[in-house]
Amino acid sequence: MSYCLLGLTSGAGVLPHDPVDAAVGDTVMFTTSLDPTQTPLSFTSILWKFGSKDIITSADTNITAPEYEDRITLFVSTGSLQLRNVTMSDAGEYNVTITMADGEVRYVILFSLKDTDLILIMYSPTEMISDALVSSSTQLPEEGTSLNVTCDASGSVSTREWMKNGSPLNSSENIMFYHQNQVLSFISLSRKDSGRYSCNISNPVSSQEDTHYMVVTLSNVRITTNNTDLVEFNDTVRLSCSASGSSLSFLWFNDSVEVTASDRVRITDGGATLTIVTVLRYDQGSYTCEVSNPVSSSTSDKVLLFVSYGPEGVTVSPSAEYYGEGSVVSFSCSADSRPEAQFRWFINGEMLFSTGAQINLCSDLRSNGASRRINIKTELLG
């Protein structure tokens, strides 16, 4: 809780215009602007009052109210008053009447609650500012998203002042302040919002400041493509990378190896589009796009490209032509192919039921004492 004492002067140049602030337990000085070195200077009487109660009267002698004994000092040369060890009950209306005799001239000085020449604000120890804290609604601010930064403290808060990189921060189309500057709100973040944000929380007798560092990162980095299942020597693929942000740079990677332009590989649209013409098997892999600006970078999720080719490089083993009577012979077939090749086996033009990459033959390879020739054939289905 806070209290204010405001003042009004009658008698030009008698009271100062600077506020007087104090916390409980402090000493307050009600200072006039009268100069004790001025001559002639003669006060007929000085009377200070708190509300309707006399605090101290000075004429031929000083008369002090009992509850103010040892707590006030009157400076008779200027009419100023010192009040020590102030309490919450000292807040209220004060007035002083000074009668000056200088020939026929008389000066009267009055204080009331009608103007702001003198201010007394009183705070209890529990109302002192402490535990100032600036916190963000997210630890990962991203471009294009909204964000609130909150400035809190314990105690009686009079003002909150925001600074960015040491300069005062004002509202704009993208920045708004709410709840008496407690909340700093960004409507849509951009990288230029990155910086050091400070909030100074104060009342007339105490203040604290806390700082929050914010780096705005990119967001919504993703890849789109026209096709992911491709055929070698036949298809062309286009990958496009997009992100929320400004001043963007793009890098493309295939299984962590950077993709650069070549006769078949084109990088266009400022690096945002990757086109591979007449794909080869070596173009298969896991593609990512890394997007960066001067303050942050972010990488997209992976996009897998599959390139089908073959079958080719077909081999059948063993390669011998003659085997002994009653031999068991195993034949295997291999080929380079993606997806994996399927096999069909033929003996002398007759298709067997076996469809694996290997078959075993066990039979009498001789007929009437004469050699018999068997033609083994494998057909691959790509």
Side-chain angles (χ1 to χ4, degrees), residues 147-375:
L147 175 72
N148 288 337
V149 183
T150 304
C151 179
D152 284 317
S154 300
S156 181
V157 177
S158 294
T159 60
R160 291 180 176 89
E161 295 180 349
W162 288 92
M163 308 278 283
K164 179 186 177 184
N165 299 329
S167 299
L169 187 63
N170 299 313
S171 60
S172 65
E173 291 183 357
N174 191 48
I175 294 177
M176 302 293 291
F177 296 96
Y178 298 100
H179 307 303
Q180 297 180 331
N181 281 5
Q182 182 181 15
V183 178
L184 165 63
S185 181
F186 295 88
I187 299 171
S188 179
L189 288 170
S190 67
R191 66 183 180 89
K192 67 181 181 180
D193 293 317
S194 298
R196 175 172 55 87
Y197 289 83
S198 300
C199 177
N200 184 280
I201 307 176
S202 64
N203 59 33
V205 294
S206 62
S207 67
Q208 274 196 2
E209 183 176 283
D210 192 38
T211 298
H212 173 72
Y213 293 87
M214 183 169 70
V215 176
V216 180
T217 61
L218 299 166
S219 65
N220 300 323
V221 179
R222 62 192 186 98
I223 296 176
T224 56
T225 181
N226 63 328
N227 196 2
T228 57
D229 293 316
L230 309 165
V231 177
E232 188 176 35
F233 308 124
N234 184 69
D235 289 332
T236 293
V237 64
R238 184 178 64 232
L239 300 136
S240 298
C241 185
S242 62
S244 297
S246 55
S247 302
L248 303 180
S249 298
F250 300 85
L251 288 176
W252 290 93
F253 295 90
N254 180 4
D255 294 330
S256 302
V257 177
E258 184 178 353
V259 179
T260 57
S262 66
D263 291 341
R264 293 187 311 106
V265 178
R266 302 168 187 171
I267 299 176
T268 57
D269 300 329
T273 301
L274 170 66
T275 304
I276 305 175
V277 179
T278 313
V279 296
L280 303 178
R281 67 194 65 182
Y282 313 108
D283 296 320
Q284 176 166 295
S286 173
Y287 284 77
T288 55
C289 173
E290 181 183 286
V291 185
S292 62
N293 62 21
V295 296
S296 65
S297 64
S298 185
T299 302
S300 70
D301 291 335
K302 297 177 181 179
V303 170
L304 299 178
L305 296 186
F306 298 93
V307 179
S308 299
Y309 62 89
E312 61 186 33
V314 180
T315 60
V316 178
S317 61
S319 59
E321 295 186 10
Y322 300 98
Y323 301 91
E325 183 178 0
S327 298
V328 176
V329 183
S330 294
F331 292 92
S332 62
C333 184
S334 64
D336 189 8
S337 174
R338 183 180 291 122
E340 185 177 337
Q342 300 176 4
F343 301 86
R344 290 194 299 196
W345 293 89
F346 296 82
I347 296 181
N348 297 330
E350 182 180 350
M351 187 175 68
L352 303 179
F353 290 107
S354 177
T355 58
Q358 181 175 317
I359 64 171
N360 297 318
L361 296 180
C362 180
S363 65
D364 184 359
L365 300 179
R366 296 184 62 85
S367 177
N368 298 324
S371 297
R372 180 185 177 192
R373 186 177 182 87
I374 299 177
N375 181 33

